[in-house]
Amino acid sequence: MTDPHAIQPSALDQLPDRDPEETAEWQASLDAVAREAGPHRAAYLMRRTLERAEAGGIALPKLLETDYVNTIPTAAEPAVPGDEAMEARITAWNRWNAAAMVTRGSKHGVGGHIATFASAAWLYETGFNHFFQGKEADGSGDQLYIQGHASPGIYARAFLDGRLTEAHLDNFRQEAGGNGLPSYPHPRRLPWLWEFPTVSMGLGPLSAIYQARFNRYLTARGVKDVSSSHVWAFLGDGEMDEPESTAALALASREGLDNLTFVINCNLQRLDGPVRANFKIVQELEAQFRGAGWNVVKTLWGSAWDELFRLDTTGALVRRLRQVPDAQVQTYQTRDAAYIRQDFFGGDPALVELAKLLSDDKILECFHLSRGGHEARKVYAAYKAAVEHKGAPTVILAQTVKGHTLGEGFASKNANHQMKKLSVDEFKAMRDLLDLPIRDGDFADGQVPYGHPGADSPEVRYLQERRAALGGPAPARRTHALAPLPAPAEKAFAAFDKGSGSQNVATTMAFVRLVKDLVRDKETGRRWVPIVPDEARTFGMESLFPSLGIYSPKGQTYEPVDRDQLMYYKEAKNGQILNEGITEAGSMADFIAASTAYATHGEAMIPFYIFYSMFGWQRTADQMWQLGDQLGRGFLVGATAGRTTLTGEGLQHADGHSPVIAATNPAALSYDPAFAYEVAVIVRDGLRRMYGEAAPDEDPNVFYYLTVYNEPLPQPAKPAGPGVDEGIVKGLYRFNTAESAGLSPVANAPRIQLLGSGTAIHWALKAQRLLSEDWGVAADVWSATSWTELRRDALDADAALLRGEERVPYVRQALHGAEGPVLAVSDYMRQVPDQIAQWVEQDYSSLGADGFGLSDTREAARRHFGVDAESIVVAALAQLARRGEVKAAAVKEAREKYGL
């Protein structure tokens, strides 16, 4: 076990000390200052000395960097347990089959990536053989975030293990037939293998941090002890440019997530060329991670470099390695020994002398082949140091060669990311390099063969024995046979059926009140995971602070300023609320970890993430896709929703489009409830479908998106009669008629159907009264709780019709026989209600808040966008005038009457 306060090995261990006595005197002086004047004085003197050295031009590493050498010296490397020769043969087979799979697929034009796994093979194999715990291990096993472009190598290993067949490999990136392999880690496409989707790039590292944090949360709250689980995230150095990749580094160190390891494959190349052509990405990442408080382990050079470091008695080699930019290191990979002698060694007399001691073969071995990430012993040492380090997360910076073992045409070439195949001759050269027993005659008709040593071969037996010792196959996703969660008491939902009477209640507050009751449920209350990005008070959630507590691994080490108040700010080690600060991306990563705990840990958790609707889908829609891909379940709540409802905040906060973006995600069930009782019905149905007894034709692997509003209004009672709950869930029901609203229309009065969603239904209800009192028009009002679900049902009906099945879309069934035209309105752009237009048999038109938002009162904003009650009246009269049911002059009269 590593002591985080102990002095770690450094570059000094690589460089012989020419005067140990002088070194000891300097160290003794520092010890004496610390002893006599205290550690602060010693630190002060060290800082001033470093500043003086920098001002004097003395070359020293920056405080956040170490020299460009391995963190763990060769002499300190532990022996690798097991059979290294056997593991090398297994790795060779996996390298071969990964390249063969992509090359064979290239004939179908489906693409694929070869070079990434070729560089990272030992990073994965060492983990699979010695570190990665399977699902049968303690807790829930480890969680592996595999780099997307390395997926062919993971498939190759699963093939060697017997979990995949040649037919699977031949259907890489060809999934339509039902027996294919997805291009990248996609749990929805291959749910028994992949746990975590890691493409788009950058989402993997962010999610890994919050997964490690959520593991701690589960353990602290006593839901499940997963303290033995370790999270491994495999990343590319180019991927670290994505802002999400480094967005949560401080969180990981602040909370001491030593159950987390990043492995960054530093092959120095991104998609089109060097990651840092004129700089050094390893040094940059080291400084970034050290600055954020991470433990950093650099594994840069292979054992061939040991001789060079022993010969470097002046430190010239270490200095030169720090100077050479990454693009030049790539150039050395492709040039001969003479070029390297001249360019690398030729500029320093000490290096010229050192190079004289090296043969050309030695130089080429070092500069072409020998990287720390390609040697099992060095990778094993780094992994062992990572899992034994306590108090902080670890990042391993492993230097590799992109395209390693694929031949001179691939290694370190700028174009290798786009190179999808090897020629037969290149495969034969690779076979000879890897020493694989594949004959020339196996290349039938120019087709590269897959290689397998046999199901009962020593290689396969060894592989399976290692995985058995570590808890089973990996990666693997477990589909747990979980019992449905018991439904909460009905009274929590029925409390909203009677309405709010004279009290004004916003639907945001109605949702929070519902959750307050649900988290008290004895059976399921502890499974709720409230997530909020530093806006709990905005949404009226501060009442949950003292009762549930805000999760903090340190608990509360201070006395809160509001301790004497009823709703004081309470943090606790077993707190239930995840209050994330100002980070929608972090909150979404929290949500993903919680929403998939039913699979990752066999524990069904019920997350709800409440946020400014404008800053949810607009900012983190890519993570919403990640959530759907990972088969997450839970409730996303876009609060302060709508383009005209949040007064004063203006364009940046005015959401007129989140339902449009949500509609693009097949896993998102998007609702825009108008009333408190609708919120209750939708949440109850969501709990049933996602956590209870889903119907046979319902996919439980969905998540709900509810838009709720901060406009306090009287909440009506739920209408009596059958079909209301069904209509709420399916997306449409009639709230009232002109008659039931007490408007008493005259016989044969013109009639129109007003469809409204969310807060817009209140404008429709006012318009209903104005139409009756001012124009003698009867209007029925419908609540459209989900335009998107209505559309999806209609699309399903269309698809059924093409199969020869007769099915009428629900929206057409609901509106069948309704008199007059239909006018739809919402607080969003018209594209939202227009989703259903083609399936409405009546004449259809819509109103919406298209364009940019603005700051003003609600009334002024609604008049500006033409969605207020008076604008609805004018639009309704215009529809009726076109049909000849009211006089055309009525439209002009109405505009003048209402000052439009």
Side-chain angles (χ1 to χ4, degrees):
M1 185 180 299
T2 301
D3 178 359
H5 302 293
I7 297 175
Q8 300 297 310
S10 68
L12 298 178
D13 296 292
Q14 310 281 357
L15 182 64
D17 191 345
R18 293 185 297 172
D19 193 343
E21 184 176 348
E22 181 184 31
T23 303
E25 290 174 357
W26 278 83
Q27 292 172 337
S29 297
L30 180 62
D31 291 342
V33 172
R35 184 173 58 254
E36 300 297 329
H40 293 292
R41 177 62 180 171
Y44 177 85
L45 291 176
M46 286 299 299
R47 286 196 301 271
R48 293 297 172 266
T49 301
L50 288 170
E51 290 171 359
R52 181 77 174 197
E54 183 176 353
I58 299 173
L60 286 173
K62 294 180 181 179
L63 289 174
L64 293 178
E65 296 180 23
T66 60
D67 281 315
Y68 202 66
V69 295
N70 296 347
T71 302
I72 303 172
T74 299
E77 292 170 359
V80 179
D83 188 333
E84 291 187 58
M86 181 67 72
E87 292 175 18
R89 291 203 297 274
I90 292 170
T91 304
W93 284 115
N94 292 337
R95 286 181 181 279
W96 177 272
N97 287 321
M101 178 198 325
V102 176
T103 298
R104 288 167 69 124
S106 69
K107 293 186 176 181
H108 304 287
V110 296
H113 302 288
I114 302 178
T116 295
F117 178 73
S119 68
W122 275 113
L123 303 181
Y124 290 105
E125 289 300 324
T126 302
F128 284 129
N129 288 326
H130 301 286
F131 291 94
F132 303 157
Q133 299 178 83
K135 293 298 182 184
E136 302 303 323
D138 292 341
S140 304
D142 289 353
Q143 288 82 55
L144 309 180
Y145 288 77
I146 305 295
Q147 191 179 2
H149 293 151
S151 62
I154 309 305
Y155 291 140
R157 194 172 212 275
F159 169 64
L160 203 66
D161 194 13
R163 294 200 289 162
L164 293 176
T165 66
E166 285 194 15
H168 286 111
L169 301 191
D170 265 346
N171 282 288
F172 174 59
R173 291 192 169 196
Q174 299 172 73
E175 300 177 75
N179 196 36
L181 300 178
S183 52
Y184 303 129
H186 285 301
R188 188 169 286 274
R189 290 299 184 206
L190 203 61
W192 60 267
L193 180 73
W194 296 119
E195 277 196 287
F196 307 107
T198 51
V199 178
S200 299
M201 287 190 290
L203 298 187
L206 179 67
S207 292
I209 290 173
Y210 280 89
Q211 181 66 58
R213 196 279 198 93
F214 189 73
N215 290 357
R216 291 283 176 84
Y217 171 89
L218 282 180
T219 301
R221 289 194 51 220
V223 176
K224 183 179 182 180
D225 184 358
V226 294
S227 55
S228 60
S229 291
H230 200 89
V231 178
W232 300 82
F234 288 84
L235 318 168
D237 47 0
E239 181 178 5
M240 300 311 293
D241 284 344
E242 291 283 3
E244 296 89 350
S245 294
T246 54
L249 298 186
L251 167 72
S253 60
R254 183 169 65 246
E255 300 203 0
L257 298 181
D258 50 27
N259 60 337
L260 170 68
T261 297
F262 275 16
V263 182
I264 303 181
N265 178 17
C266 297
N267 57 35
L268 313 186
Q269 287 183 258
R270 53 188 176 198
L271 307 189
D272 289 329
V275 179
R276 293 290 183 271
N278 297 296
F279 307 93
K280 301 188 81 62
I281 185 60
V282 168
Q283 299 299 91
E284 179 182 320
L285 291 174
E286 179 185 27
Q288 192 169 15
F289 277 87
R290 286 191 188 279
W294 287 53
N295 175 46
V296 179
V297 177
K298 293 198 292 192
T299 302
L300 307 181
W301 307 111
S303 56
W305 283 82
D306 290 347
E307 180 182 348
L308 275 68
F309 288 124
R310 284 195 299 270
L311 295 172
D312 180 29
T313 59
T314 66
L317 176 63
V318 173
R319 289 194 298 272
R320 179 62 176 146
L321 288 173
R322 283 179 53 83
Q323 295 167 355
V324 179
D326 284 352
Q328 191 64 20
V329 173
Q330 299 295 83
T331 299
Y332 294 149
Q333 178 70 35
T334 63
R335 297 301 180 92
D336 59 19
Y339 178 90
I340 298 171
R341 285 182 186 276
Q342 175 62 36
D343 191 87
F344 182 84
F345 294 98
D348 186 312
L351 290 181
V352 171
E353 293 303 312
L354 188 155
K356 292 178 180 178
L357 304 175
L358 305 175
S359 67
D360 285 355
D361 287 344
K362 183 64 177 181
I363 288 176
L364 293 179
E365 180 187 13
C366 289
F367 284 85
H368 284 193
L369 302 173
S370 188
R371 300 292 187 272
H374 295 323
E375 295 188 13
R377 179 166 176 161
K378 297 191 179 296
V379 175
Y380 180 87
Y383 285 8
K384 191 172 187 293
V387 297
E388 291 180 353
H389 186 82
K390 299 303 176 186
T394 294
V395 59
I396 296 169
L397 304 175
Q399 186 162 269
T400 66
V401 174
K402 194 167 186 177
H404 184 60
T405 74
L406 296 180
E408 294 182 1
F410 265 83
S412 292
K413 295 297 176 65
N414 282 342
N416 61 20
H417 190 80
Q418 281 70 38
M419 297 163 69
K420 312 300 182 187
K421 59 184 178 180
L422 276 69
S423 68
V424 169
D425 287 342
E426 287 172 324
F427 266 110
K428 289 179 178 179
M430 181 182 178
R431 170 202 61 190
D432 295 341
L433 176 65
L434 298 176
D435 194 24
L436 291 172
I438 296 173
R439 300 168 300 178
D440 286 353
D442 294 333
F443 292 83
D445 301 322
Q447 177 84 298
V448 56
Y450 294 120
H452 200 292
D456 195 41
S457 64
E459 292 92 336
V460 173
R461 288 200 306 271
Y462 181 89
L463 181 155
Q464 293 175 341
E465 288 168 0
R466 293 303 310 140
R467 289 311 315 157
L470 288 166
R477 182 179 182 273
R478 177 70 57 82
T479 303
H480 298 269
L482 298 178
L485 293 183
E490 181 60 27
K491 67 179 182 180
F493 306 102
F496 298 91
D497 289 353
K498 295 181 180 180
S500 64
S502 60
Q503 182 184 8
N504 290 337
V505 177
T507 51
T508 297
M509 182 54 65
F511 177 83
V512 172
R513 288 182 182 178
L514 175 62
V515 170
K516 283 178 64 177
D517 289 338
L518 294 177
V519 296
R520 295 192 187 104
D521 185 85
K522 292 182 179 180
E523 296 288 339
T524 60
R526 72 190 186 106
R527 297 190 177 275
W528 283 86
V529 183
I531 303 168
V532 61
D534 198 37
E535 288 283 1
R537 298 183 191 277
T538 301
F539 307 134
M541 290 176 60
E542 65 270 26
S543 60
L544 299 178
F545 289 169
S547 58
L548 301 183
I550 299 166
Y551 170 73
S552 170
K554 288 186 174 293
Q556 193 155 38
T557 61
Y558 60 93
E559 182 178 356
V561 68
D562 54 359
R563 183 64 181 85
D564 57 341
Q565 298 178 16
L566 181 63
M567 293 183 287
Y568 68 94
Y569 196 84
K570 177 186 175 183
E571 298 187 76
K573 291 182 179 179
N574 63 345
Q576 194 164 351
I577 301 170
L578 293 173
N579 193 350
E580 286 307 343
I582 304 174
T583 167
E584 287 83 6
S587 299
M588 266 307 303
D590 261 337
F591 187 90
I592 292 169
S595 70
T596 54
Y598 74 92
T600 308
H601 296 298
E603 295 288 346
M605 305 300 288
I606 311 171
F608 79 86
Y609 163 34
I610 188 167
F611 50 88
Y612 267 100
S613 65
M614 183 68 164
F615 303 141
W617 285 90
Q618 175 165 303
R619 281 197 169 191
T620 56
D622 201 9
Q623 288 178 285
M624 313 298 192
W625 279 99
Q626 181 188 15
L627 167 65
D629 202 7
Q630 200 167 319
L631 290 79
R633 305 170 183 175
F635 297 96
L636 296 176
V637 184
T640 61
R643 182 146 281 167
T644 70
T645 304
L646 185 60
T647 57
E649 298 287 356
L651 186 154
Q652 292 88 351
H653 289 65
D655 172 21
H657 52 280
S658 71
V660 177
I661 309 174
T664 65
N665 192 310
L669 277 61
S670 180
Y671 286 90
D672 188 25
F675 305 123
Y677 67 80
E678 293 177 353
V679 172
V681 169
I682 293 165
V683 171
R684 180 179 60 192
D685 189 70
L687 291 172
R688 175 199 61 81
R689 176 168 177 171
M690 295 185 291
Y691 301 97
E693 297 282 1
D697 62 341
E698 291 180 318
D699 181 4
N701 299 315
V702 295
F703 58 94
Y704 282 62
Y705 176 53
L706 281 71
T707 46
V708 293
Y709 300 82
N710 71 327
E711 185 173 13
L713 292 164
Q715 294 297 323
K718 183 195 293 188
V724 174
D725 284 11
E726 178 188 25
I728 292 172
V729 172
K730 289 191 172 182
L732 183 68
Y733 70 98
R734 183 155 47 195
F735 176 72
N736 69 15
T737 63
E739 291 78 9
S740 66
L743 299 175
S744 304
V746 299
N748 300 318
R751 187 173 289 267
I752 190 169
Q753 308 298 316
L754 302 180
L755 278 58
S757 70
T759 197
I761 202 169
H762 297 282
W763 321 331
L765 288 169
K766 181 180 178 182
Q768 179 189 43
R769 179 172 54 80
L770 292 175
L771 282 166
S772 176
E773 294 175 353
D774 295 351
W775 309 99
V777 172
D780 301 336
V781 176
W782 300 69
S783 179
T785 53
S786 179
W787 310 100
T788 301
E789 288 307 296
L790 291 173
R791 175 179 175 81
R792 287 175 177 170
D793 171 79
L795 290 172
D796 288 344
D798 287 355
L801 187 63
L802 292 176
R803 297 192 301 266
E805 305 170 16
E806 289 291 338
R807 230 197 80 192
V808 180
Y810 176 79
V811 64
R812 185 167 293 172
Q813 295 178 45
L815 290 171
H816 180 68
E819 298 178 38
V822 169
L823 175 60
V825 60
S826 78
D827 203 13
Y828 299 95
M829 55 198 301
R830 289 175 60 182
Q831 187 174 341
V832 175
D834 284 352
Q835 291 180 88
I836 67 170
Q838 72 185 83
W839 293 280
V840 176
E841 59 188 17
Q842 293 90 344
D843 291 340
Y844 186 91
S845 64
S846 65
L847 297 174
D850 286 79
F852 289 111
L854 76 167
S855 299
D856 213 311
T857 65
R858 290 182 178 125
E859 294 74 15
R862 287 161 188 169
R863 178 58 59 92
H864 170 81
F865 286 109
V867 293
D868 60 353
E870 292 79 5
S871 298
I872 294 172
V873 170
V874 172
L877 292 174
Q879 263 190 296
L880 293 168
R882 285 194 295 270
R883 294 162 58 93
E885 297 181 24
V886 300
K887 295 180 180 179
V891 180
K892 180 180 179 183
E893 292 175 18
R895 284 201 301 268
E896 293 174 350
K897 177 179 178 66
Y898 302 128
L900 296 180

